[in-house]
Structures are given as structure tokens and as C-alpha cells.
Amino acid sequence: MTPHNKLFIPGPVEVSENTWAAFSRPMIGHRGEDFKNLYRAIHPGLQTLFGTRQPVFLSTSSAWGVMEASIRNLADRGVLCCMCGAFSDKWFDVAKRCGKNAEPLQVDWGKHIDHKAVERHLATGKFDTVTLIHNETSTGVMNPLEEICRVLAKYPDVALVVDTVSSFSAVNIEMDALGIDVMLTGAQKALALPPGFSLFAVSGKAFARAEKIPNRGFYFDFLEFKKEQANWMTPSTPSIAHIHALQFKLAEIFEEGLEARFARHARTNALVHDWVRTAGFDFFAEEGFRSKTLTCVKNNKGIDVLEFARKLRDKHHLVIDPGYGKIRGQTFRLSNMGDETEETVSHLLTCLDDVL
């Protein structure tokens, strides 16, 4: 039997056997009472994780579907795209492909989005929508969400869309308190579910905006989601297996406790950071703005990163990421999100030392 290669890449992350068991529960119909009861049962927990009293929606898509949907549902006058890595850069491209007037707020990869720069751009009056990735997975940068939200609070006519794909449920994010208008996440990161599913919530302000925007389409129309959720349904056929697995995962999360979960991610992240320093590597992300769920390691030692990753996989059956996009080989990424513990992360670090 071929040994299993365990994932320590920043998404998709390792999925537990218990989660897979929940994923394979018997199928139910998506227009019957069983499904309504399932959605109704998981909803309060989702609202708690989002920090919102707004409805939380289930999208059978990657998070990119909702990222594009946010542009199509909200953007009118102009979109300010906060760009600090591969995924935030791509959001700018997506906005332009949707025919929107989009402008970049670009910083070098590895740097964070400065709230003062956001304020300077918003003061021009050119924008009614801002896109922000909280935790830029390609570079390991965690942007200062609270500071940026305080700026947005001064511009009530501007909608803030926040991608929390690789930070959601690993750090505390209170959507309503922060004034976020669309908060979205994916299943395959800290939630440790199989990929292909996403969650999002929309503010009252954003719903009102969407009502005035033409050509929203159907599959990702926020108003369709709102109408169907009122009856505990989705606009189109969802991946019911994902929702069964999500129900199991929510029970697991709340059994551990949110504060304990956040603390566990902080501890495992600190272990990785200690290893980076001890091994003589540097961090790609600037100090003070580093992710709590993954670490982007700068290859200042000039090792062959692809060979390093290959040896780790062949000898120890552990998989790490050899860098994303234009920094492939110049960096490598180590994930500590999802179900990982101090024991499992320590094992990874011991194995890294062995092949280094």
C-alpha cells in the first residue's frame, strides 16, 4: 500500500478521517425538509464564526466565485483593489474582466496594505468598492484589518469586500463590529474541509447596493442567495456532502472552543517561526504583518527548494509548497492551519531539519 503524503501546503490542507466520514454521509434532497433542517442547524454556528447577525450563505464554488460575485453585485463607480500578492493582484484582473473601472493600490510582495494609503485613495471620491485580502496566502502577509476598517468607516458609501480565505476560524474576525460589507472564505484552508465550497455573508448596505446594480447574473446573485436562505435553501443545487462535513467540523470547532482554537494556531505558528530563525532562514513577509496560519520562508540560504520539497515528500511523506508564482523557488510555504497541533507541526519541523 502506498504511504499517504500528508499536506502541509497552505490549502488544500489535510482533511481528517472523521471529516471524510461526515462527507460521505447518505445523500439527502436539496429541496426537502432534511436539507432545510441541516442548513438551519449549522447557521447559528456560522454566524458566530463570522461575527455577524446577517445570514450566512453556502456557495458550491471556490472562493473565487464569491470574489468575482462581489465585483458583479457591488461595483458601480469604481473599485479600489488592494494588491500585495498573487491573489490580491488577480482580484484586480477579475474586476477589469467584469468590465468594471478598477484601479490598483499596489505594494511590493511581502509588504502590507497601509491604511493611510487606503484613505488617500478613498479621499478622491472615485471608488464605491474596496477589495482586500486579509491574509495574502502567496506571501504570508496578514493585512491590518482593523486599521483599514476604521478608515472605511469614514466613507459610508464605500463597500468593503474582505477575503478571509486563509484566516477564517484561525483568528478572530468580527464582521459586524468591523463594518465589513462582504466577508467570504473557502472550505479548504483553516476549516480543513475538502476544496470546492465557500461561505459568505453580506451586509444590509451591500444588499441595498446590489438591488441597484444591473447584470448581476444568476448563480452568484446576492439577492437570489438572500431570497432562498430565508427558506433555508440555496439558489441552485449545493454540494450536500460539503455541508454534512461542515456540520461535523463546526461541532468540532465549538467543542474545542474558539479562544482555544485561536491560541492553538498562534502556538503552532510560533513553532514554525522559531524554526525559521534557528535554521537560518528569513521571513518573506515584513515583521509585524505575518500570517498566523502559514509562513512564507525566504530562501536566503540559496537552497534548491524544489529538491528540498521532493526529499521531504520521498523520505517522510510530507508535502510543503515550494513558493507561489513569481517567488517559486525563492521562497517556500509551511502551513500550520486546520487540525494541526504542536505535535504534528513539531514532527514536520524535525523532518525539515532531517532533509535540510
Side-chain angles (χ1 to χ4, degrees), residues 284-350:
F284 188 75
E286 61 182 321
E287 189 170 2
F289 301 94
R290 291 172 187 154
S291 169
K292 296 286 189 277
T293 57
L294 71 125
T295 304
C296 188
V297 185
K298 184 189 290 186
N299 182 20
N300 55 293
K301 296 173 71 170
I303 66 169
D304 185 333
V305 169
L306 293 175
E307 179 66 9
F308 178 52
R310 186 193 64 77
K311 284 181 178 177
L312 183 71
R313 182 175 189 144
D314 289 350
K315 185 173 183 181
H316 296 290
H317 302 289
L318 302 175
V319 183
I320 63 170
D321 179 82
Y324 192 91
K326 68 183 183 182
I327 56 173
R328 182 178 173 86
Q330 302 169 39
T331 61
F332 56 94
R333 297 182 298 166
L334 308 173
S335 168
N336 63 282
M337 70 180 103
D339 298 332
E340 301 310 330
T341 64
E342 286 152 291
E343 181 182 4
T344 63
V345 170
S346 294
H347 174 66
L348 167 68
L349 302 177
T350 299

Side-chain angles (χ1 to χ4, degrees), residues 272-285:
V272 178
H273 283 206
D274 288 345
W275 177 86
V276 171
R277 297 183 186 98
T278 302
F281 287 106
D282 289 336
F283 297 93
F284 188 75

